[in-house]
Amino acid sequence: MQSTDEMNINMGNSVSTLLLRSGLWDVGIQWAGFAVAAALKTEKFYDLAGSGTFLFLAIQTLRWGNTFYFRQKVQTGMVATWAVRLGLFLFTRVLQAGGDSRFDKVKHNPKTFFVYWTIQALWVWLTLLPTMILNSEKRDKPLGLRDYAGWGLWTAGFLLEAVADYQKTVFKADPDNAGKFISTGLWSISRHPNYLGEILLWAGLYLSSSSVMSGYQHLSVISPIFVYLLLTRISGVPILERQGMKRYGKDPAYLDYVKNTALLLPGFW
């Protein structure tokens, strides 16, 4: 009969093995995607590859863990739902636009393009970390407040992101709005409601998965922190704010919008 320490060691080894296996698949998929994208000099399936990797690893870690607890299935389903919606949305958008301006120079520079694909691998792995840990756990606990609060936060974030994306898509599709900026719907209370939704939903998934975590596993809180920093300090918000000021900076209405509309979280920031 195994002692408690031996059981903890075995479970720790199981988690580590699954995380390593996931990391290898993640990097392999992104580097294979880079090879094809670099050869074709296209960025059109970059976002689709990223969201597809989320979908693949969420399902595979559930299968590799082979416990299929209710909490694990709900969490995996939430990741899969998010990945399918966002992946198809971004892929459709880039096809309609004919490209992604972020990659205008990058896709012709293999070394820099490779860095972008490698960073995507890091984004996938770190963001999905709580879910991968949850799916590798052999222990189960009764559902509690953290589960319901986390799922509620994910639902709010998912709806916020999906509705914001839909509103902006409809706005841009209207010829009368050509050359204008969106300031209606959710965009009237936040300049980046879609990114707010993204941050909230990953925070919710960490919160629900943390209900079965112990010790070093709680370090996976880096997932929502990383998403927050990525969107507010590196990509996302900083880039769009610069583009907005460059495009509409001489428009008094836009300056008034920036002054009176929260950057991210209504009522706070």
Side-chain angles (χ1 to χ4, degrees):
M1 184 175 181
Q2 288 184 320
S3 66
T4 301
D5 288 341
E6 289 175 328
M7 291 177 64
N8 289 336
I9 291 174
N10 288 335
M11 285 189 289
N13 290 337
S14 175
V15 174
S16 299
T17 299
L18 184 143
L19 293 181
L20 176 60
R21 190 177 182 183
S22 299
L24 292 174
W25 270 101
D26 178 22
V27 171
I29 292 171
Q30 303 315 312
W31 286 359
F34 159 74
V36 176
L40 299 176
K41 291 183 171 55
T42 181
E43 75 288 9
K44 291 182 179 179
F45 61 88
Y46 178 83
D47 290 319
L48 187 63
S51 58
T53 307
F54 272 100
L55 177 62
F56 172 77
L57 290 181
I59 294 173
Q60 283 301 112
T61 53
L62 181 65
R63 293 179 61 193
W64 293 335
N66 199 35
T67 46
F68 301 99
Y69 297 131
F70 181 73
R71 179 186 286 107
Q72 294 171 331
K73 290 188 287 186
V74 170
Q75 179 106 350
T76 300
M78 287 179 166
V79 173
T81 301
W82 166 86
V84 170
R85 189 211 72 85
L86 186 63
L88 292 177
F89 169 74
L90 294 176
F91 186 57
T92 301
R93 187 177 68 177
V94 77
L95 289 180
Q96 292 175 341
D100 188 331
S101 60
R102 295 175 299 170
F103 298 90
D104 286 347
K105 298 179 180 178
V106 172
K107 62 186 176 184
H108 298 291
N109 185 329
K111 291 183 179 179
T112 306
F113 203 21
F114 175 76
V115 171
Y116 272 63
W117 281 89
T118 303
I119 290 176
Q120 177 156 265
L122 179 65
W123 166 60
V124 171
W125 195 86
L126 284 179
T127 304
L128 200 54
L129 190 55
T131 301
M132 295 189 295
I133 290 175
L134 171 64
N135 284 346
S136 66
E137 273 295 326
K138 302 302 180 185
R139 298 169 299 177
D140 192 24
K141 293 182 179 179
L143 298 179
L145 179 61
R146 271 190 286 181
D147 295 294
Y148 298 119
W151 295 343
L153 197 58
W154 179 90
T155 301
F158 179 82
L159 291 175
L160 186 61
E161 182 178 56
V163 172
D165 284 341
Y166 173 76
Q167 289 177 340
K168 193 169 188 178
T169 299
V170 172
F171 178 85
K172 286 189 171 184
D174 187 345
D176 292 338
N177 293 326
K180 298 179 181 179
F181 61 92
I182 184 170
S183 59
T184 55
L186 293 174
W187 301 85
S188 67
I189 58 174
S190 171
R191 304 208 298 273
H192 304 281
N194 53 336
Y195 292 148
L196 175 59
E198 182 81 355
I199 294 167
L200 291 177
L201 70 86
W202 288 112
L205 290 180
Y206 165 75
L207 183 60
S208 60
S209 60
S210 70
S211 59
V212 296
M213 290 182 184
S214 61
Y216 74 90
Q217 293 179 343
H218 287 288
L219 293 176
S220 63
V221 70
I222 192 175
S223 167
I225 294 174
F226 176 76
V227 171
Y228 169 80
L229 293 176
L230 180 67
L231 292 178
T232 63
R233 296 290 185 269
I234 302 173
S235 180
V237 171
I239 293 175
L240 292 180
E241 286 293 303
R242 287 195 297 269
Q243 290 178 346
M245 193 56 66
K246 183 177 180 180
R247 185 176 301 175
Y248 309 111
K250 295 182 180 179
D251 184 348
Y254 180 74
L255 297 177
D256 185 64
Y257 172 70
V258 170
K259 180 180 179 181
N260 295 296
T261 308
L263 179 65
L264 196 67
L265 186 62
F268 293 92
W269 177 42

